[in-house]
Amino acid sequence: MYLARVYLDKRDLANAELIINAGVEASKTAEDSRALSLNLFNQAYLYQLQNKQVLALNSYAALAQTYKQLGKNSSLGSVYNNIGNIYFKQGDFDDALTYYQLALPLIDIEKNQQNYANTVMNIGRLFLKLKDYPQAEHNLNLSLQYRSATEGPVGFIETHRNLGHLRLAQQRYTDALTMFDIAEKTALRHNLSGQLIVLQFDKIEVAYKIKDTALMQNSILLLRPLLTPNIQPILIAAGHYFEALYASQIQDWQQAEEHINQLLEFKVYQSEHFAYQNAIKLASKVKQELGKHDEAIELLLSFNKRYQQQQEANRLSLLTQYAQLYKTNDKEREIAELKKLAVEQENQQLKQQQQNRLIIFSFIIIAILLLTYINFVRQRSRNLAKENALANALMEEKKQFFADISHELRTPLTVFKLKLEELEYDIADDPKSTYKLLSDRVNSFNALINDISLLAQHDKGELELRLVSIDIYDFFKRAGEELISLAKEYQLDPKVSICTISNDTAILDATRINQVMANLFSNACRYTTSPGQIYFSVEATETSLIIKIEDSAPGLNKQQQQQIFNRLYRADRSRSRKHGGSGLGLAICRELIEAHQGSIVASDSSLGGITITINIPINKSID
């Protein structure tokens, strides 16, 4: 556990991984939850350093479970905050906000003011990304109430930087500079060179916006002695970008080219300090100003090619991480099977000893025992055959799952590449439409990854419900209104019927049930031939909540009705691809309904299509 920290501090990640994996296994063997929590923390930190965010989330999830067992709520809050930071980095703001909100009530403000302030600041930073400026300002100012320039200077600086970025987004440039100046004075007082560097980046960006060349020059002069060879490469790369930006502002194109050439050597595609697309545009402009038109074109072509290679590498890394998760689960199952086999072998030895003692009594008893043993062996063989068949079926199902996922990704990625090439060579008929198509493709990739992540959580038993008391009528009335709006887009005739007693309530995970309704409404609208009908009904009894979604033609045969809840199953693949979707929606619906101890089935509809029937037990109170 402690040796791993040494390797992590030295950034010897290969040896750190070996030590950490051994520590996790040893902690599980010893059934030592405290040691396991420390090793899991090291593992999550390692995966973040390796940019393996999927594996980091998996380790944090295991760490959260361990902290729950230990009753360490404050530590659990810190884990939720870290999970939120990973989702924020991935651009998944909904999940990021969910985990930040889970973290807040777990953190003791009196004992951990800095942790509480960090989480509140992260929420403000998230709303800033969403351009909800009033909410962002509220959270950042709340975070500042728990900050101190003396006791926690780094947090104090970060909060003021975020407030500066908020002012910059609001085009309040003077206020932005005021925030950056406050942060800069604190960084100078505590000799925080890393913070000083990024603050100069911030000030140069403001100066460029307001065309204040003198301010840009002053920040550049402060920045140069700070950019020593031993700092992070990404900061050096950013330094070259801002040097080139300043040189272009004063039209020193030769100096700008020198810094641009050095920046491109770093091959940075994502940076929190500057947009790489802006760097490419600046580089092209510099080359054009110097009359190097061919180099400008070659630079753009080279960037697009390297960017595509980077995207492919990211995709392969993501698939590798999911494969590693499944491999780990297979190893755990293998260990369980070995333990089971050892117990069976021990039982077999005891039975054999008992048979040897009984031989002295009589030949008849021996014959009976032999017949019993033969029958036992025969039954055991049948059981082993069933287990082998089940294991083979699971293996084939896993192989098919990965094959289907690869197939799901291959076609949209091919289209994605072709559309990028259209933009690259300026042959797209409608660039705005092409950009929208690319954005839709990225959204579909994110949706597919979220679907896979949810199913992986369910397979590992980590799918948690956030149960709340809801008013059945109001809740499903809103769902019906969403269906009516969606159906009109598809030129369908919707009907909604909600039969419930006034003020009748149920205990459900509202977010998950909304997810189920959205999936079922979307399927019904997309696959029903227009003009057609959709009938949505809800009935509350004393013990159950019965939900039905019926649609008109086309329908499905009995075999298809039984299979539509299987993962990646499509009754009509060509029709499904035309309408989009990952093929996981109905499988997710089944997992979420079963998590509520309910059932979901498909049957023929009197309207000519299919009927999806959901039956959920009603609970009136939360235990």
Side-chain angles (χ1 to χ4, degrees), residues 54-79:
V54 172
L55 297 179
L57 285 173
N58 185 64
S59 296
Y60 275 130
L63 180 57
Q65 291 296 326
T66 306
Y67 280 148
K68 286 180 182 178
Q69 294 173 3
L70 294 171
K72 300 178 70 172
N73 286 341
S74 184
S75 297
L76 179 61
S78 296
V79 169

Side-chain angles (χ1 to χ4, degrees), residues 45-59:
Y45 179 52
L46 167 71
Y47 286 141
Q48 286 190 277
L49 290 176
Q50 294 174 326
N51 199 29
K52 297 178 179 179
Q53 305 301 339
V54 172
L55 297 179
L57 285 173
N58 185 64
S59 296

Side-chain angles (χ1 to χ4, degrees), residues 303-319:
F303 165 73
N304 285 332
K305 181 178 179 181
R306 290 200 309 245
Y307 182 77
Q308 292 174 19
Q309 291 172 346
Q310 180 70 19
Q311 292 297 100
E312 178 65 13
N314 290 341
R315 184 185 73 84
L316 292 176
S317 173
L318 188 63
L319 292 177

Side-chain angles (χ1 to χ4, degrees), residues 511-530:
T511 301
R512 296 303 191 189
I513 295 299
N514 269 328
Q515 185 177 359
V516 171
M517 293 296 99
N519 272 335
L520 295 178
F521 291 163
S522 176
N523 276 5
C525 290
R526 286 188 291 126
Y527 296 119
T528 299
T529 302
S530 175

Side-chain angles (χ1 to χ4, degrees), residues 408-581:
E408 289 295 328
L409 289 172
R410 187 176 297 112
T411 299
L413 282 173
T414 300
V415 174
F416 197 95
K417 181 176 183 296
L418 291 174
K419 293 301 178 182
L420 277 178
E421 289 176 351
E422 288 182 9
L423 294 173
E424 175 185 355
Y425 296 106
D426 198 21
I427 60 174
D429 294 331
D430 186 352
K432 289 185 178 180
S433 176
T434 302
Y435 279 121
K436 184 180 184 305
L437 174 61
L438 293 178
S439 176
D440 291 343
R441 290 297 183 186
V442 171
N443 291 337
S444 69
F445 294 155
N446 285 334
L448 177 60
I449 292 170
N450 289 337
D451 288 348
I452 295 172
S453 176
L454 189 148
L455 290 172
Q457 285 181 330
H458 177 271
D459 291 345
K460 295 192 301 179
E462 296 176 357
L463 180 60
E464 297 182 357
L465 297 180
R466 301 186 183 95
L467 299 176
V468 296
S469 178
I470 66 165
D471 183 290
I472 297 176
Y473 181 81
D474 288 345
F475 181 84
F476 287 102
K477 179 184 178 185
R478 288 193 297 271
E481 291 171 352
E482 292 177 6
L483 170 61
I484 291 171
S485 176
L486 182 63
K488 289 181 179 178
E489 293 181 13
Y490 287 86
Q491 298 180 350
L492 301 173
D493 178 22
K495 293 183 179 179
V496 177
S497 173
I498 303 175
C499 298
T500 178
I501 303 172
S502 178
N503 298 325
D504 206 355
T505 61
I507 304 303
L508 302 171
D509 185 327
T511 301
R512 296 303 191 189
I513 295 299
N514 269 328
Q515 185 177 359
V516 171
M517 293 296 99
N519 272 335
L520 295 178
F521 291 163
S522 176
N523 276 5
C525 290
R526 286 188 291 126
Y527 296 119
T528 299
T529 302
S530 175
Q533 296 177 296
I534 296 179
Y535 179 43
F536 171 51
S537 65
V538 179
E539 179 183 358
T541 68
E542 289 296 326
T543 58
S544 299
L545 188 62
I546 302 170
I547 306 166
K548 291 185 179 182
I549 297 99
E550 301 183 48
D551 56 43
S552 55
L556 298 174
N557 60 40
K558 296 297 184 183
Q559 182 180 4
Q560 291 171 332
Q561 291 172 9
Q562 294 175 358
Q563 294 179 343
I564 60 173
F565 296 105
N566 295 339
R567 298 177 185 182
L568 296 172
Y569 174 79
R570 288 188 170 95
D572 184 343
R573 289 186 174 270
S574 61
R575 181 177 174 86
S576 296
R577 295 198 186 285
K578 176 181 177 182
H579 292 284

